[in-house]
Amino acid sequence: MNKERLINSFIEMLKIHSPSKKEGEFAKHMVNSLESLGADIYLDEGYLQYGGDSPSIIAKIPGDIEGEGVTLAAHMDVIEPNLNVEPIIEGNIIKTNGTTTLGGDDKGGIASILEVIRTIKEEKISHKDIYVVLTPCEEIGMLGAKYFDWDKVPKYMMPAKNMIVVDNSGDAGIIAHSAPSKYDFEIRFKGRNAHAGIEPEKGINAIAMAAHTLTHMNTGRIDDLTTSNVSTIDSKFPSNVVPDICTMTGEVRSHSEEKILEILESYKNICDKTVEKFGGSYEINYKCDYPVLKPKDDLKFAKEFVRVYEEMGVDSELKVIGGGSDSNIFAEQGFNSIIIGVGMNKVHTVDEYLEIDELFKTTEAIIRYIKKDE
């Protein structure tokens, strides 16, 4: 592994602006880089359905050993503000000047993946097939993964089911294997208009209906694996009108879809009681944003990676996380994912930074895993 090359590659990628829906230039850079390493390329055109400019990329590095191999995955979009990022190296840290995000989420992961392949090629390491999956628009609802048309992928390009997603915050050694499903909900309250100064008693205040409902809803931390949040209450009327429409939106997350539906049903029951008290009516709608991520092999794959870290002397931890990622979407296609970190910290802020030593450790760990998987 060439540490200087890894850092230089990472810095080069940071300077290519790739916000969600505008990853096209960066995707071309990645296709060129992967083709130069002998990869076969397949481009998915799901972006045409949601107004992006970048395909999802599958790259295949054919192996010289029989077996399914492994898939390495990451996403190409970054969180704004990220235009004209100025990476600064201070000792073990790569950061910015404080006016932009760094983009280590997830270009740190992509830099690691590229260095893995370069090292394997350079050192002529025997291996099974290696697949790389790079998606756009992960940061705005995993759109690249959601709109991926797997039915069109040629059979010989279908990635291996064991997938290492290099997109976790924190140090090397943290291995996430489970993540919750998320449902988004909307409740629309319908009251009755009236003049607020002349005859307010003839009105039914929809904001009051929403407020009464919210005070009785179980939100926040519900249990160890379940959360709920109300994020907006929207109603726009002049002060002299009793508002007759108010919309509340939010989300429920849990590692049990049954639990999510149970909570949403409790919200419906609370709304029924609100209508009994105030009059008016309501409508509740909800949909699954992404499914649960759970290991499909009783943690066998995750524990194999734990052993790799431990052999390196790196403390390792199997972890259940509360956020979603492309892994949740890929799980529906049968992929068995673990999510590992490369030392990215304070992501999604202008204080974001990446620890170089952690980036090296994870890159080495992936190389060691591929060597062992013979």
Side-chain angles (χ1 to χ4, degrees):
M1 182 171 65
N2 187 317
K3 293 183 178 181
E4 183 178 355
R5 178 175 63 195
L6 174 54
I7 293 172
N8 289 340
S9 175
F10 177 54
I11 297 295
E12 180 183 17
M13 287 190 287
L14 292 180
K15 294 182 177 180
I16 303 174
H17 191 221
S18 59
S20 302
K21 291 192 176 183
K22 295 181 180 179
E23 307 93 338
E25 182 184 355
F26 185 73
K28 291 176 183 176
H29 174 77
M30 291 311 305
V31 168
N32 291 337
S33 297
L34 290 162
E35 285 183 333
S36 72
L37 292 167
D40 298 326
I41 301 291
Y42 174 80
L43 303 179
D44 174 81
E45 296 184 338
Y47 69 96
L48 297 175
Q49 298 185 58
Y50 59 80
D53 72 352
S54 168
S56 289
I57 300 169
I58 296 178
K60 179 180 180 180
I61 310 295
D64 55 357
I65 300 175
E66 292 293 324
E68 187 179 10
V70 68
T71 298
L72 309 177
H75 66 85
M76 297 183 286
D77 56 325
V78 296
I79 290 289
E80 295 278 44
N82 188 253
L83 183 62
N84 299 322
V85 60
E86 295 182 14
I88 299 169
I89 300 177
E90 285 187 358
N92 185 48
I93 299 296
I94 302 177
K95 62 177 187 177
T96 74
N97 61 7
T99 63
T100 69
T101 60
L102 179 65
D105 177 12
D106 190 25
K107 290 176 180 174
I110 297 174
S112 178
I113 290 170
L114 276 183
E115 184 58 29
V116 165
I117 297 170
R118 286 170 175 150
T119 300
I120 285 170
K121 289 284 188 178
E122 194 172 74
E123 298 182 7
K124 296 181 171 56
I125 297 170
S126 290
H127 61 88
K128 298 176 184 176
D129 291 341
I130 301 170
Y131 298 85
V132 177
V133 175
L134 302 176
T135 59
C137 291
E138 191 268 356
E139 298 287 11
I140 57 170
M142 294 88 82
L143 297 182
K146 285 179 179 177
Y147 284 89
F148 209 115
D149 191 344
W150 291 101
D151 291 337
K152 291 184 179 179
V153 179
K155 186 176 180 180
Y156 80 97
M157 288 295 292
M158 184 60 70
K161 293 304 182 185
N162 276 350
M163 175 182 281
I164 302 170
V165 180
V166 196
D167 183 29
N168 205 2
S169 60
D171 294 343
I174 297 174
I175 301 172
H177 56 79
S178 297
S181 172
K182 179 169 83 77
Y183 274 60
D184 295 319
F185 67 84
E186 178 185 272
I187 307 173
R188 179 181 170 87
F189 295 94
K190 180 71 169 69
R192 185 168 59 240
N193 277 146
H195 193 292
I198 299 175
E199 46 186 9
E201 61 278 351
K202 292 185 178 180
I204 299 175
N205 192 311
I207 297 176
M209 294 174 69
H212 182 269
T213 300
L214 178 57
T215 60
H216 291 82
M217 291 167 63
N218 190 3
T219 59
R221 170 68 62 187
I222 295 174
D223 61 38
D224 288 346
L225 299 177
T226 308
T227 62
S228 176
N229 184 53
V230 172
S231 56
T232 70
I233 294 180
D234 183 64
S235 185
K236 296 178 181 178
F237 288 84
S239 64
N240 63 349
V241 176
V242 175
D244 68 334
I245 298 293
C246 183
T247 302
M248 175 192 298
T249 65
E251 65 164 51
V252 184
R253 300 184 189 216
S254 180
H255 291 257
S256 164
E257 186 170 9
E258 182 179 355
K259 180 70 174 181
I260 293 175
L261 295 175
E262 176 186 313
I263 292 166
L264 290 169
E265 183 64 22
S266 77
Y267 293 170
K268 181 178 181 297
N269 293 336
I270 294 166
C271 289
D272 288 338
K273 293 178 181 178
T274 296
V275 169
E276 288 178 13
K277 177 179 175 65
F278 287 83
S281 61
Y282 77 93
E283 181 179 333
I284 183 170
N285 295 292
Y286 52 82
K287 64 178 181 178
C288 180
D289 189 29
Y290 50 80
V292 169
L293 171 66
K294 292 183 178 179
K296 302 180 184 299
D297 61 353
D298 197 29
L299 290 175
K300 180 177 180 292
F301 179 36
K303 289 177 179 177
E304 287 174 359
F305 218 83
V306 166
R307 286 192 289 273
V308 171
Y309 276 128
E310 289 177 345
E311 288 170 4
M312 293 170 55
V314 175
D315 292 336
S316 190
E317 176 188 1
L318 291 176
K319 194 169 184 178
V320 175
I321 58 176
S325 70
D326 283 345
S327 303
N328 293 68
I329 308 302
F330 293 149
E332 289 189 311
Q333 299 298 322
F335 288 99
N336 183 40
S337 300
I338 57 173
I339 311 168
I340 62 175
V342 291
M344 59 177 88
N345 292 277
K346 296 188 177 181
V347 297
H348 296 194
T349 77
V350 295
D351 297 317
E352 180 186 0
Y353 67 92
L354 184 136
E355 297 182 70
I356 296 171
D357 288 350
E358 302 305 313
L359 175 62
F360 292 162
K361 289 174 187 175
T362 286
T363 304
E364 182 181 346
I366 298 171
I367 294 168
R368 285 181 177 231
Y369 173 80
I370 291 170
K371 284 182 177 180
K372 289 169 68 74
D373 187 33
E374 297 181 357

